[in-house]
């Protein structure tokens, strides 16, 4: 995405040199700060209001990330007989003539198991879409199976043998899930967004769906009689796993054709894959190899007409406050190529399905997970060519990112 700036307001990690963010426009340059210093300075209590970067150079005040995105749900109590949970947790690979409900249950279980194995399907929705096919293809390649993106008996056995834990568990809605404030609507114009103090969720339902990496429609269908606005309500949710990576990320590959981001360890092993929105045929993402300059969590977004290549230049320079509906989402990973980065997205349903202004968009939970292992200097390689809208990618061994190696 070109010519806007996420100014860093929380949990910003500085390397030996200063972080210069572009593609969301450049922030002022605060004093260099080491990762250890930033982590030591971060408070451990409840997150205070985010602190925006001023126009003049000044230190960054690190704050913890806002919820609700990190609480692991409890397991279902012993003897729980929720039919919807049992249908998913005990599902098997359905045949061609299986009922729609059985197919959806199996797809939900497969999506959760893929997410826990770090082959993200994006929003867990019980649908057999392109993001799921890409995740399955990457999993197949990693397991030495033909990469056709299909849930074959071999894929199902590999998934369920490696992870037999429940895919759907119980969760009791907490007070922080419903306290808000919630927005009545999200403005479509940047000048209206800039008037808001926070780009928060529209409802407790939306916040809970993002917390558990789910599509809102699936969350509602699993809990048809639930009051999502009432603390203490017991609901069924996806147990999608931790939002951290098990190892540092040495290299990232962005596949423009597959619309997928892959993370690799220092030994070249694949750590995780994520569905992504990557550029467009009108505003393509770059090609080549770059490096990570730094990571900004809970960023603000600065719309700067002096550097834009899109939008209405008459709006003037605007600063949009942090929040899950901020144009760059929950995290901004700054790249060494000016005006480009990898960042979150305000609408997880659209990731991997729409175009961008050149940047790389992941769901907010996926960008949080990726950022947990990324440090300054990690290599980022862009490969492939953007697909026109509606054109399908050809699935092959590249779905597992075999070409990316740390440098």
């Amino acid at each position: 995405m070109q010519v806007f700036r996420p100014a860093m307001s929380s949990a910003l990690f500085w390397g030996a040199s200063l972080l210069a963010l572009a593609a969301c426009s450049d922030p002022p340059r605060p004093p260099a700060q080491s990762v250890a210093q930033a982590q030591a300075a971060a408070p451990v209590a409840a997150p205070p209001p985010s602190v925006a970067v001023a126009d003049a150079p000044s230190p960054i005040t690190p704050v913890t990330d806002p919820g609700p995105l990190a609480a692991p749900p409890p397991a279902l109590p012993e003897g729980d007989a929720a039919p919807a949970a049992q249908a998913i947790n005990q599902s098997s690979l359905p045949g061609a003539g299986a009922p729609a409900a059985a197919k959806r249950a199996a797809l939900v279980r497969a999506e959760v198991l893929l997410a826990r194995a770090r082959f993200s399907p994006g929003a867990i929705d019980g649908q057999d879409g392109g993001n799921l096919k890409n995740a399955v293809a990457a999993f197949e390649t990693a397991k030495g199976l033909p990469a056709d993106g299909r849930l074959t008996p071999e894929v199902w056995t590999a998934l369920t043998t490696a992870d037999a834990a429940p895919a759907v568990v119980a969760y009791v809605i907490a007070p922080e899930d419903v306290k808000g404030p919630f927005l009545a609507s999200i403005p479509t114009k940047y000048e209206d967004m800039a008037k808001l103090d926070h780009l928060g969720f529209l409802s407790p339902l939306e916040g809970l769906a993002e917390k558990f990496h789910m599509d809102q429609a699936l969350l509602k269908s699993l809990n048809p009689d639930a009051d999502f606005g009432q603390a203490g309500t017991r609901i069924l949710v996806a147990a999608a796993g931790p939002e951290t990576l098990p190892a540092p990320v040495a290299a990232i590959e962005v596949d423009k054709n597959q619309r997928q981001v892959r993370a690799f360890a220092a030994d070249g092993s694949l750590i995780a894959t994520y569905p992504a929105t990557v550029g467009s045929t009108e505003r393509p993402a770059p090609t080549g190899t770059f490096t990570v300059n730094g990571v900004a969590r809970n960023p603000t977004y600065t719309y700067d007409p002096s550097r834009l290549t899109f939008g209405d230049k008459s709006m003037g320079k605007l600063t949009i406050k942090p929040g899950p509906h901020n144009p760059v989402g929950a995290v901004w990973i700054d790249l060494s190529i000016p005006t480009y980065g990898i960042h979150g997205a305000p609408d997880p349903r659209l990731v991997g399905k729409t175009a961008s202004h050149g940047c790389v968009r992941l769901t907010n939970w996926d960008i949080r997970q990726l950022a947990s292992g990324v440090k300054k200097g990690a290599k980022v390689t862009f490969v492939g060519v953007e697909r026109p809208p509606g054109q399908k990618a050809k699935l092959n061994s590249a779905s597992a990112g075999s070409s990316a190696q740390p440098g």
Side-chain angles (χ1 to χ4, degrees):
M1 186 181 296
Q2 290 185 311
V3 199
F4 53 86
R5 169 179 84 208
M8 286 63 63
S9 59
S10 71
L12 175 62
F13 300 118
W14 302 94
S17 61
L18 300 177
L19 174 62
L21 265 141
C24 298
S25 110
D26 295 322
R29 293 172 171 253
Q33 184 181 35
S34 69
V35 172
Q37 288 171 330
Q39 291 173 330
V44 295
S50 60
V51 180
V53 178
D55 288 338
S58 62
I60 300 299
T61 302
V63 298
T64 56
D65 281 333
L69 294 176
L76 281 167
E78 184 176 357
D80 193 288
Q86 287 188 340
I88 293 170
N89 295 335
Q90 299 175 14
S91 63
S92 57
L93 185 65
K103 292 180 179 178
R104 190 190 72 160
L107 287 172
V108 171
R109 187 182 182 191
E111 286 179 307
V112 173
L113 297 185
L114 284 164
R116 290 208 294 246
R118 299 184 301 279
F119 296 90
S120 173
I124 295 167
D125 59 6
Q127 303 294 319
D128 188 14
N131 288 345
L132 176 59
K133 286 182 170 61
N134 271 347
V136 171
F139 179 83
E140 287 172 322
T141 302
K143 299 298 181 181
L145 300 171
D148 57 9
R150 295 171 55 244
L151 277 173
T152 62
E154 292 78 13
V155 170
W156 186 265
T157 298
L159 279 172
T160 56
T161 300
D163 185 349
V168 170
V169 296
Y171 176 74
V172 177
I173 296 176
E176 57 266 28
D177 294 324
V178 300
K179 70 179 180 180
F182 300 102
L183 300 177
S185 62
I186 302 298
T188 57
K189 296 181 179 179
Y190 286 165
E191 59 263 45
D192 294 329
M193 287 186 186
K195 298 174 184 177
L196 300 176
D197 292 333
H198 184 256
L199 271 293
F201 292 116
L202 295 171
S203 66
L205 171 65
E206 184 184 32
L208 287 163
E210 183 152 320
K211 182 172 189 171
F212 297 107
H213 310 179
M214 300 173 71
D215 182 77
Q216 292 181 57
L218 176 62
L219 181 56
K220 287 195 295 184
S221 70
L222 290 178
N223 304 278
D225 300 319
D227 182 354
F228 295 100
Q230 180 62 51
T233 300
R234 184 174 178 276
I235 59 174
L236 299 177
V237 299
E243 289 191 344
T244 57
L245 291 175
V249 175
I252 297 171
E253 183 176 76
V254 180
D255 190 322
K256 294 187 282 186
N257 184 265
Q258 293 289 137
R259 296 176 184 168
Q260 190 174 65
V261 166
R262 304 157 195 139
F264 296 87
D267 62 0
S269 61
L270 182 66
I271 301 174
T273 69
Y274 309 102
T277 294
V278 187
S280 64
T281 52
E282 293 79 16
R283 292 188 177 91
T287 296
T289 299
F290 310 94
T291 56
V292 169
N293 280 343
V295 177
R297 299 179 184 274
N298 200 28
T300 61
Y301 173 105
T302 299
Y303 178 86
D304 189 349
S306 68
R307 307 185 61 205
L308 62 80
T309 60
F310 62 93
D312 182 359
K313 295 187 179 183
S314 68
M315 290 187 295
K317 188 174 181 179
L318 301 170
T319 298
I320 299 173
K321 299 300 195 318
H325 278 286
N326 180 285
V328 294
V331 178
W332 167 266
I333 298 177
D334 186 54
L335 303 183
S336 58
I337 179 173
T339 75
Y340 288 93
I342 305 172
H343 61 83
D347 190 343
R349 298 171 303 169
L350 302 181
V351 169
K353 302 171 186 177
T354 58
S356 77
H357 291 113
C359 275
V360 181
R361 299 176 189 163
L362 309 183
T363 65
N364 280 336
W365 55 84
D366 283 344
I367 191 68
R368 285 175 185 268
Q369 186 183 74
L370 177 61
S372 74
V374 169
K375 297 292 187 293
K376 179 181 173 64
K379 185 176 74 171
V380 180
T381 302
F382 288 77
V383 300
V385 177
E386 285 85 355
R387 284 184 277 136
Q391 184 183 96
K392 294 183 180 180
K394 181 179 180 182
L395 298 175
N396 51 43
S397 60
S399 298
S402 58
S403 63
Q405 295 295 328

